Amino acid sequence: MTETARKRRVLLKLSGEAFGGGTLGVNPDVVSQIAREIAAAMDDAEVAVVVGGGNFFRGAELSQRGMDRARADYMGMLGTVMNALALQDFLEQAGVSSRVQSAITMTQVAETYIPLRAIRHLEKGRVVIFGAGAGLPYFSTDTVAAQRALEIHADEVLVAKNGVDGVYTADPNQDPNATLIDEITYNDALVRGLKVVDSTAFSLCMDNGMPMRVFGMEPAGNVTEAIRGEQLGTLVHR
Ligand code: UDP
């Protein structure tokens, strides 16, 4: 297949909160639903996933409670690997072949992060799940989603959110007049301090011309539609 004829390729960012269904740990029903939504779109796109880990640990929160920040961040990264394995399991149950690649070497449970191998998996129709973030403390999985999207030459970063369905003019939980923005530039989002996604991720995408769609996990079917290229939520672009 030539470069111009290749299938749409997306990098889907799933937060840890999605996996936990609002509590600590993994909610199998929720992860199974996400896996089925990804499976439903596999004819239309190549799918790579970056998983968060906030349903287990967030380094910044643990460090506020007295832990060394870097060590706490490593705990956060290990949490993302558990989510990655859960997603892999439910993807396989949904009939989709998948591979987990970890930024921290743990050969028994995951492949090591090798970008060219990840691309090869995608070309073969496998979902590639990136675990352990960047393998570096002080980073977030949003930023890793932007970086991985760039490195695997994705067409778009899809950021699935819980409890919010896109980028708003203000925090919709605090300002009843906040409205959903259909389309915005990275620069405007940064200048206006719209923080649905962390600013490092925005900057990385802005500097490298990578478009990002921010959308809500609800209602069911949104993940499938976003992967297929439906115009949900907010498009953020250069
Ligand atoms: N983390 C990290 N480096 C990375 C990615 C993640 O140190 O490259 C740690 C960090 O402590 C973070 C935690 O892993 O709080 C879980 O990731 P994140 O908060 O991005 O997950 P989400 O909010 O998407 O569930």
Side-chain angles (χ1 to χ4, degrees):
M1 206 183 269
T2 63
E3 187 66 12
T4 46
R6 86 167 162 80
K7 230 176 179 177
R8 169 175 160 81
R9 181 177 293 164
V10 296
L11 186 300
L12 174 66
K13 162 71 208 296
L14 297 168
S15 71
E17 210 183 328
F19 280 63
T23 51
L24 183 81
V26 166
N27 180 330
D29 295 335
V30 176
V31 185
S32 165
Q33 166 69 19
I34 296 170
R36 280 182 276 123
E37 290 206 30
I38 294 171
M42 288 306 293
D43 285 343
D44 303 296
E46 295 173 359
V47 183
V49 182
V50 166
V51 287
N55 53 324
F56 289 110
F57 307 107
R58 284 204 175 88
E61 287 167 11
L62 288 177
S63 75
Q64 275 167 13
R65 298 178 63 190
M67 278 193 72
D68 173 69
R69 171 67 192 262
R71 188 172 289 125
D73 275 340
Y74 282 114
M75 289 174 66
M77 288 181 251
L78 294 177
T80 73
V81 178
M82 290 193 267
N83 287 334
L85 294 177
L87 181 60
Q88 178 176 41
D89 198 84
F90 285 104
L91 280 170
E92 303 281 341
Q93 290 186 37
V96 176
S97 178
S98 65
R99 296 288 186 272
V100 176
Q101 289 202 344
S102 171
I104 295 173
T105 307
M106 45 179 97
T107 43
Q108 280 83 355
V109 295
E111 290 182 3
T112 299
Y113 175 55
I114 302 175
L116 288 179
R117 181 180 281 185
I119 289 169
R120 203 66 199 108
H121 289 319
L122 293 171
E123 288 169 348
K124 288 182 177 168
R126 297 174 184 141
V127 171
V128 179
I129 309 161
F130 296 118
L136 300 168
Y138 298 98
F139 279 72
S140 74
T141 51
D142 283 355
T143 304
V144 175
Q147 191 281 332
R148 296 294 190 251
L150 288 164
E151 194 163 11
I152 62 165
H153 307 293
D155 298 301
E156 200 172 27
V157 185
L158 303 172
V159 181
K161 287 287 187 193
N162 290 88
V164 62
D165 57 357
V167 180
Y168 277 73
T169 50
D171 183 346
N173 295 318
Q174 291 179 6
D175 183 347
N177 297 319
T179 53
L180 180 68
I181 300 168
D182 292 334
E183 198 178 323
I184 189 168
T185 63
Y186 286 111
N187 199 38
D188 280 356
L190 285 166
V191 169
R192 289 164 67 179
L194 305 175
K195 286 193 183 123
V196 184
V197 174
D198 77 48
S199 54
T200 314
F202 268 173
S203 307
L204 203 52
C205 286
M206 178 171 74
D207 292 348
N208 295 284
M210 172 65 65
M212 177 186 290
R213 185 165 292 282
V214 182
F215 68 100
M217 298 279 301
E218 304 286 333
N222 266 10
V223 170
T224 308
E225 287 186 19
I227 294 171
R228 287 183 176 150
E230 300 291 332
Q231 303 192 351
L232 306 176
T234 306
L235 176 66
V236 195
H237 58 85
R238 182 140 74 168

